[in-house]
Amino acid sequence: MTTLLVIAKEPLPGRVKTRLTPPFTPREAAALAEAALTDTLRAVAAAPASRRVLVLEGAPGPWLPPGFDVVRQCAGGLDERLAAAFAGVAGPALLIGMDTPQVTPELLTVDFAGCDAYFGPAEDGGFWALGLAAPDPALLRGVPMSTPVTGAVQRERLVSAGLRVRDLPRLRDVDTAADAEAVAALVPTGDFAARLARCARKAGSGPDASGARGRTETAAAAVRTRPAPARPRPESTPR
């Protein structure tokens, strides 16, 4: 059976989901990150696995369900941290991040019979999942992370190593307000959708409600109608 790995950051204000601010405050962005992580860990807990491991930067909180081993992330770039996560397991392993709360136990139920690797592409050009029948850290080291070609480079690395690659469905990461809205619509009963709705209600209340609501709507509309700025994304999950 497969080891399921989740690489994540402790959801602290100013440390996670910084591209959600604005329109959200750092505290709201951290709450959304916690909700996304909660949904992700719930899906992992419900999927069949020989072992479940949270590879964490920071400290675990009440959002961590039972049944997970917690391993501290190593120092270095995201490629080194992903490589180290695979180096710490024996046998088949599937790694995901905390940016796809729409993930389901069914998506995480993988069978390596007839293939050597699983690859889950992300809409932004990265990847949301990577599975290896025989984990080899060298397959990840040196892959440029958080770029529009990260996924293509990583998949080509697998193919060039002679691995038989099976593709998983393409998913959308939550990086921006537009991403949050789209992903919440896919899983309206999850913690992430509920937290997003609370953030929206909060923006629409209080003494400066109309101004706050207007700023939130304007920022969200700007994200939907303009390309995101070309800048490196915070390295917290597979990209």
Side-chain angles (χ1 to χ4, degrees):
M1 199 173 286
T2 304
T3 294
L4 295 178
L5 300 162
V6 181
I7 188 162
K9 281 185 176 181
E10 181 184 0
L12 297 174
R15 298 292 303 277
V16 292
K17 293 286 166 244
T18 55
R19 293 179 68 199
L20 290 178
T21 56
F24 301 104
T25 67
R27 187 174 297 277
E28 288 170 336
L32 287 167
E34 180 176 331
L37 182 54
T38 298
D39 285 343
T40 300
L41 294 175
R42 184 179 296 121
V44 172
S50 58
R51 184 185 177 204
R52 298 172 182 86
V53 182
L54 176 64
V55 186
L56 183 65
E57 179 183 321
W63 37 263
L64 179 65
F68 283 78
D69 296 330
V70 179
V71 176
R72 183 181 296 276
Q73 286 186 31
C74 73
L78 183 55
D79 62 319
E80 290 290 343
R81 287 180 273 148
L82 296 179
F86 277 107
V89 299
L94 179 72
L95 180 145
I96 65 171
M98 62 184 286
D99 291 345
T100 50
Q102 71 271 43
V103 72
T104 64
E106 292 74 23
L107 284 174
L108 302 177
T109 304
V110 296
D111 181 359
F112 284 94
C115 75
D116 305 303
Y118 276 87
F119 182 78
E123 289 189 5
D124 63 0
F127 59 94
W128 66 270
L130 180 64
L132 297 172
D136 180 359
L139 292 169
L140 294 106
R141 292 193 180 106
V143 173
M145 295 289 165
S146 302
T147 77
V149 297
T150 294
V153 173
Q154 181 62 76
R155 194 182 188 285
E156 179 57 30
R157 179 76 69 89
L158 303 176
V159 173
S160 296
L163 303 186
R164 297 165 297 171
V165 180
R166 186 172 294 163
D167 290 316
L168 294 167
R170 186 180 303 272
L171 297 186
R172 184 169 183 169
D173 284 340
V174 175
D175 289 322
T176 66
D179 294 333
E181 182 180 338
V183 169
L186 296 174
V187 280
T189 60
D191 279 20
F192 183 76
R195 173 58 65 178
L196 183 64
R198 286 196 290 273
C199 289
R201 286 196 297 270
K202 183 177 178 182
S205 63
D208 191 25
S210 60
R213 183 168 56 250
R215 288 192 297 273
T216 300
E217 291 172 351
T218 299
V223 171
R224 289 193 291 269
T225 57
R226 293 199 310 266
R231 58 174 178 169
R233 290 186 289 272
E235 293 186 344
S236 60
T237 62
R239 291 289 163 79

